[in-house]
Amino acid sequence: MVAHVCMFPLLCLQLALGHGARRLHVSAAYRAKAKVSMSRFEPSSFVNYEKLNSNIGIVRKRLNRPLTLSEKIVYGHLDDPQNQKINRGSTYLRLRPDRVAMQDATAQMAMLQFISSGLPKVAVPSTIHCDHLIEAQIGGEKDLARAKEVNQEVYNFLASAGAKYGVGFWKPGSGIIHQIILENYAYPGVMLIGTDSHTPNGGGLGAICIGVGGADAVDVMAGIPWELKCPKVIGVKLTGTLSGWTSPKDVILKVAGILTVKGGTGAIVEYHGPGVDSISCTGMATICNMGAEIGATTSVFPYNQRMRTYLEKTGRGEIAALADEYSDLLVPDEGCEYDQLIELNLDELKPHINGPFTPDLAHPVSQVGAVAEKNSWPLEVKVGLIGSCTNSSYEDMGRAASVAKQALDKGLTCKAQFTITPGSEQIRATIERDGYSKVLRDVGGVVLANACGPCIGQWDRRDVKMGEKNTIVTSFNRNFTARNDANPATHAFVTSPEIVTALAIAGTLNFNPETDYLTAPNGEKFKLEPPNGDELPARDFDPGQDTYQHPPPDGTSLKVDVNPQSNRLQLLEPFDKWSGKDLEDMQVLIKVKGKCTTDHISAAGPWLKFRGHLDNISNNMLIGAVNSENNAINKIKNHLTGEYGGVPDVARHYKVRIRAAFLQHLTLTQFKPSCSFCIQANGVSWVVVGDDNYGEGSSREHAALEPRHLGGRAIIVKSFIRPEDKISIKGLETFAPGKPLKAVVKHCDGSTETLELNHSFNETQIEWFQAGSALNRMKELQH
C-alpha cells in the first residue's frame, strides 16, 4: 500500500530584486489628479525586462523549443538559468521573485517569523494590506470604525513592524489586497508572491502572481531563492467573443466545472487565443483569481491592448510603453506546447452559477432552478452579495448597476437582501462619484467596507438562525460549507455580479434573466436587457482617501512591541530539532473522513483575530473535520484517558500533562504549553490520517503550523490506517529526495503492516525538517 506523507514543519521561504532594473515613476499628471501621496508606487517601479530577456535567452538556447508565456516569466526569474534543471512537473526551480504582498491576517505570522530571523530589513519591495479583519455588520463606515477599534493592537503591530523592516502598510479601509496589487503593483512579466491563495488575480495584467504561506514570504523578504516545483502548463484557448449576459466570470466557472477543484494542481493555467481580446483587463483578473479554486499554481493572460489601457488609466503609462517594447517576452511563442489543452468558444458560452458547497459544481443559469428543485435546495434567495477580490472592478459595478437601474425604472427593488463590497478605496470613491453606488443602494443594497467581509466569513449575519437551510448567491470565488456565514446549512452559489443582482431582484434561483420576465408593481411584465458597463471610468479614477504608509528610509531605531499578555499576538519560539532518529509509536489523533479543506483544519471567520497568536488559534485545529470513527465533528477519543473530547483539547493533553491542582480551575483549551505549571510532557507524538483531498484551500500555513505546535509530527493521506493505531515512520536517517519512507502501523490486536510513504521533500526542505523549521535553518546559516 502507498500513502503520502507531509511532515512538519513544511515551511518555505524566498526572493530578491534583480540587477539592472529600470525604475519608472508614476506620471506627474496622475499625481496631480490624485492629490495624495504617490510614494506607494515607488517600491514597485522596478521593471527589469532586460534581466528577464537575458534569462529567457539562456533558457531558450538550452531547451531549444518554443516557450509558453508561463515558462518565459517563470524561467526568466531563475536564480541560475544556466544550470537550473528544468523538467515540467518534477524538478524544483530556484527563483528570484520581484516583490511580496501580505494580507493582514497572514502578515501577522509572516512578520513575526521575519522578526525571528534577525534580519534588519526586507530584501525585496513588500507591502501589508489590511483587509481581512473587518467584519460586515451594518455598513461601510461604521464597520470600518469598529474594526479599527477592535483590531487596534494588530494594526499597530503591523504598521510599526512595516516601518521598522521596510514594508509598506496599506491601512484598514484601503481595500482588498488583490485589487490594490492590480491597481498599483502588478504589471506584465513581474513575478509576485502573496500570502493569500487568490494572489493569482494579478495574472489579469500578464503577471505571474502566486499565493504562498507566510514562511515563503519570509524567505523572499530575506533575499533567499524561492523554490517552486516546476509547474506544468494547462492551455485554455479562447475563441469567439463575450456578449450579452455572459461575463468573464463564466469563463472560470466553466473551466472549474471541467477541471474540478483538483484539476489544476501543480500547473499554471495559461489563457490564449483570439477570444482573449474580448475580455477586459479586470475581467482577466477575475478569471485568474478564481483559478485558485481548481488548485492551479497561478493563471495568466498574454499582454494586450486591454492591459495597456488599464496601466495608463492607473498612472503607469511608462510601464505600458516599456511592455510594448518587450512585448515578445509577454506572449507565448508560436508553436509552444501545453501539457493539457482546453478550448472554449465564447460565442457559445452561457451564464453559469456554481455550487452549492463546492466551486466546481457548474450549472448554466438556465438550468439551476430545475436542478435545485430536484435536489431540494432552497429556491428562495435570501441574500445576494456582490464585490470581493474576484468581482469588484469598475466594470463589474457598472454592469450590476445597469441591471439594478432597469428594475428601479420599473418600480422594483430587491426581494432578497443585497450587499456591495467595493474592492478598493479607489473603486469606492469612483463608483460613488459616478452614481453607481446610489443606484445599488436605491435598489436595496448596503455598501460595505472596502474589505473581504462575507467572502471570508467576516459577516455578522442575523437574518437566519444557525442550522437553518437557506440559499445565498455571491460573486465571490469560494463557497465551501459554512465559509461565508459559519452556517453549514447555507447553500452558497457563486456567479457573476450581474447575475447575482438579477437573482436578488427576482428573489429566486429559478429565474433566468435571458428568458424570464419580472412583474412591475403596476402589473407590467418586462424582461431585463443584457447588462452594460464601461470597462474604465471616462473621467479617470478618483483615488479617494490616502490610506498608504510608506516605510521610512531607516527604521533601525524603531521598536515593535508585542505585549506578552496579548491574546492576539505572540512572539514565536523555535520548534524542536529532529532527534536524528525515526519517529516511533505515534498515536493517530484523528482519521479524517471525506474532504478536509483548510477551512476544516483552521477555520477563518471569528478565528482570524488570532492569526498572530499561534497558541490561541491552535484551539481551532481540525474542529471542522469529520472523525471517521464516529462521523462526528470535533469529537475524538483520547487514548490516554479513554474519554472523548475536542480535537485541540486531546492534542494538548497528548503534548502536555498539567499539575492536578490546576485541573479544577482550567479547561483544556486554556492551557498554554509555555506557562509555568505545564511542566511534564506526556510525550505522545501524533499523526493525522487524511482522505485523498486534504489541505485544499487557503491559509495553508496555519493549517500546517497548528498541528506542529500541538505535537503533530506527520499528515498521512489516502491510507487504510485505523483511528486507534500507533504509527512509526522509518527511514529518516537516510531521508532523501525521491526515496519513499516507511510507516509501520501497529494495530490494537497486535498485528502490524507496513506502508510505503511517498513525499515531495527536496534537499533544502529535508534540511528544514532536520533543523526543526525553515527559520531554524536560516538562523543556523547566519552563524
Side-chain angles (χ1 to χ4, degrees), residues 14 23 68 309 336 373 425 463 522 568 572 577 619:
Q14 295 118 352
R23 189 167 194 167
T68 68
T309 303
C336 67
E373 286 186 298
E425 170 60 10
D463 64 296
N522 64 3
R568 300 286 300 271
L572 298 175
K577 293 181 65 173
N619 288 326

Side-chain angles (χ1 to χ4, degrees), residues 410-541:
K410 297 292 185 179
L412 284 182
T413 56
C414 291
K415 289 184 178 179
Q417 292 186 32
F418 187 45
T419 70
I420 302 97
T421 303
S424 68
E425 170 60 10
Q426 180 165 273
I427 293 296
R428 183 210 62 79
T430 306
I431 65 173
E432 189 68 49
R433 180 198 68 192
D434 293 351
Y436 293 166
S437 294
K438 183 179 187 305
V439 171
L440 295 170
R441 282 193 294 263
D442 287 349
V443 84
V446 175
V447 179
L448 302 175
N450 314 323
C452 301
C455 183
I456 59 162
Q458 286 283 43
W459 183 17
D460 184 18
R461 188 181 181 192
R462 300 183 180 184
D463 64 296
V464 296
K465 296 178 181 178
M466 185 61 65
E468 181 181 339
K469 198 174 177 181
N470 73 101
T471 285
I472 65 174
V473 291
T474 82
S475 69
F476 304 162
N477 44 40
R478 192 164 284 168
N479 60 344
F480 298 141
T481 302
R483 176 175 174 83
N484 302 123
D485 61 0
N487 182 359
T490 293
H491 292 55
F493 295 82
V494 293
T495 185
S496 67
E498 46 267 53
I499 293 294
V500 171
T501 306
L503 295 182
I505 293 167
T508 177
L509 277 180
N510 198 16
F511 177 75
N512 178 10
E514 290 189 302
T515 59
D516 296 345
Y517 287 79
L518 295 170
T519 304
N522 64 3
E524 177 190 356
K525 301 282 188 181
F526 71 98
K527 194 168 71 170
L528 293 169
E529 294 296 323
N532 61 78
D534 292 338
E535 179 178 345
L536 295 164
R539 290 191 284 164
D540 291 335
F541 285 106

Side-chain angles (χ1 to χ4, degrees), residues 1 17 214 256 378 403 410 416 506 567 611 752 776:
M1 288 180 283
L17 189 67
V403 174
K410 297 292 185 179
N567 70 352
R611 283 285 175 85
T752 65
N776 289 359

Side-chain angles (χ1 to χ4, degrees), residues 237-243 246 251 272-279 306 343-349:
K237 183 178 180 180
L238 303 178
T239 57
T241 303
L242 287 178
S243 62
T246 306
V251 174
H272 62 284
V276 166
D277 290 337
S278 74
I279 305 173
R306 309 296 280 264
E343 297 192 36
L344 285 183
N345 185 340
L346 301 182
D347 290 334
E348 299 173 356
L349 184 63

Side-chain angles (χ1 to χ4, degrees), residues 705-748:
L705 285 173
E706 292 175 31
R708 176 65 198 274
H709 176 66
L710 294 184
R713 294 297 174 181
I715 304 293
I716 300 175
V717 297
K718 202 168 185 179
S719 70
F720 303 93
I721 297 167
R722 305 168 192 166
E724 68 274 10
D725 290 341
K726 296 288 181 67
I727 300 173
S728 300
I729 295 180
K730 302 285 191 177
L732 292 175
E733 294 183 22
T734 57
F735 195 11
K739 182 180 179 181
L741 298 168
K742 299 288 185 184
V744 177
V745 182
K746 297 180 181 178
H747 302 304
C748 58

Side-chain angles (χ1 to χ4, degrees), residues 3-58:
H4 296 268
V5 64
C6 166
M7 288 181 297
F8 304 107
L10 211 47
L11 306 181
C12 318
L13 324 165
Q14 295 118 352
L15 276 115
L17 189 67
H19 300 291
R22 286 200 210 177
R23 189 167 194 167
L24 299 180
H25 297 276
V26 180
S27 67
Y30 191 80
R31 291 173 183 271
K33 228 175 281 177
K35 298 181 181 178
V36 296
S37 167
M38 288 289 111
S39 59
R40 64 196 186 202
F41 287 96
E42 308 301 342
S44 70
S45 297
F46 290 91
V47 182
N48 199 1
Y49 288 137
E50 294 96 335
K51 183 67 173 178
L52 190 70
N53 188 41
S54 174
N55 284 1
I56 291 172
I58 294 169

Side-chain angles (χ1 to χ4, degrees), residues 656-663 666-667 670-680:
V656 178
R657 180 184 295 135
I658 312 300
R659 284 179 178 173
F662 289 91
L663 290 177
L666 300 173
T667 65
Q670 291 173 306
F671 295 157
K672 295 185 179 181
S674 59
C675 59
S676 60
F677 52 80
C678 302
I679 58 172
Q680 287 183 293

